[in-house]
Amino acid sequence: MRLILAEDQFLLREGLVKLLEAHGHQVVRAVTDGPALRAALAAEEFDVALVDIRLPPGFTDEGLQAALEARRARPGLPVLLLSQYVEQLYATELLADGAGGVGYLLKDRVFDGEQFIAALRTVAGGGTVMDEDVVSGMVGRSDRLASLTARELETLGLVAQGRSNAAIAAAMFVTEKAVAKNINSILAKLQLPPSTDDNRRVMAVLAYLGAQDGL
């Protein structure tokens, strides 16, 4: 993959470059602030952007805003956000266009290089990857999930992380048939149309949860 990297901390930025290169990927531009990220997103050809949410000069949401601006110009542009903070509003903004190719991971919860690279590949391929703490916050703030059973809520959290039915089955120690049944029940209760497309399914659920954040 060809990547744009936006991270202002020197050691973390250089460490990410080394990690990505060690896995055979190329960082075509590594930038340290919001304006440089905007320029890189507009000028470079790349497969996915790896972006810290808070960048100079303001250290608020410069990375997120640059990513949103780029996705408005190029819908579905793959962006994986990195942050030290759980902010459901950021996740909701990123998911709002429903175009896929998005992710939100917490820096201090990335423990495995292979899983991290897999998350980047998922986003680059148009999929959705969300940290479970972000998902939990979104789920917890939705009053309309009261009709779901505890098992369905657990399943929903795994769906929202972008996991396949097989991965959910393995995590919950059940069959894929049981997972499919749970998901169909969830979608029916949330009045969302069933879909065999994993990305559309994840986006539909997260779009619903994000919409409830504002209610």
Side-chain angles (χ1 to χ4, degrees):
M1 294 181 291
R2 291 166 54 85
L3 299 98
I4 286 176
L5 170 62
E7 169 58 57
D8 65 291
Q9 296 182 27
F10 172 77
L11 289 178
L12 182 53
R13 184 176 63 255
E14 292 303 306
L16 285 168
V17 170
K18 297 296 184 184
L19 173 66
L20 293 164
E21 290 178 343
H23 282 80
H25 306 298
Q26 178 185 4
V27 177
V28 296
R29 186 89 68 90
V31 300
T32 61
D33 58 53
L37 174 59
R38 280 187 166 86
L41 291 172
E44 299 289 350
E45 291 295 327
F46 61 95
D47 299 304
V48 59
L50 181 58
V51 177
D52 187 359
I53 289 178
R54 301 187 180 190
L55 292 171
F59 291 101
T60 55
D61 61 353
E62 286 83 356
L64 172 66
Q65 294 305 320
L68 292 175
E69 180 181 304
R71 282 174 62 86
R72 283 192 291 270
R74 296 167 60 187
L77 187 73
V79 175
L80 176 57
L81 296 179
L82 285 176
S83 180
Q84 293 176 307
Y85 311 96
V86 177
E87 291 283 357
Q88 283 79 42
L89 178 60
Y90 293 162
T92 300
E93 287 188 76
L94 187 65
L95 292 161
D97 62 12
V102 293
Y104 187 147
L105 296 180
L106 299 179
K107 292 179 180 180
D108 61 359
R109 288 172 53 84
V110 177
F111 304 121
D112 185 280
E114 294 293 339
Q115 290 182 349
F116 179 61
I117 297 298
L120 280 168
R121 289 197 185 102
T122 296
V123 172
T128 305
V129 176
M130 305 295 286
D131 185 274
E132 63 184 77
D133 281 1
V134 178
V135 172
S136 295
M138 296 175 79
V139 169
R141 293 177 64 183
S142 177
D143 294 335
R144 297 188 182 183
L145 300 178
S147 63
L148 300 187
T149 67
R151 200 66 164 167
E152 288 169 347
L153 283 171
E154 183 181 1
T155 302
L156 176 60
L158 294 169
V159 168
Q161 291 173 41
R163 299 199 191 188
S164 66
N165 282 12
I168 294 171
M172 296 180 66
F173 303 102
V174 298
T175 65
E176 287 188 53
K177 184 177 180 180
V179 171
K181 182 178 179 181
N182 275 344
I183 290 172
N184 286 336
S185 176
I186 291 166
L187 294 175
K189 289 179 179 180
L190 298 185
Q191 298 183 337
L192 294 169
S195 171
T196 56
D197 183 300
D198 284 342
N199 185 57
R200 284 191 298 167
R201 180 180 68 181
V202 172
M203 293 302 295
V205 172
L206 289 177
Y208 175 87
L209 295 175
Q212 305 323 306
D213 255 357
L215 296 181

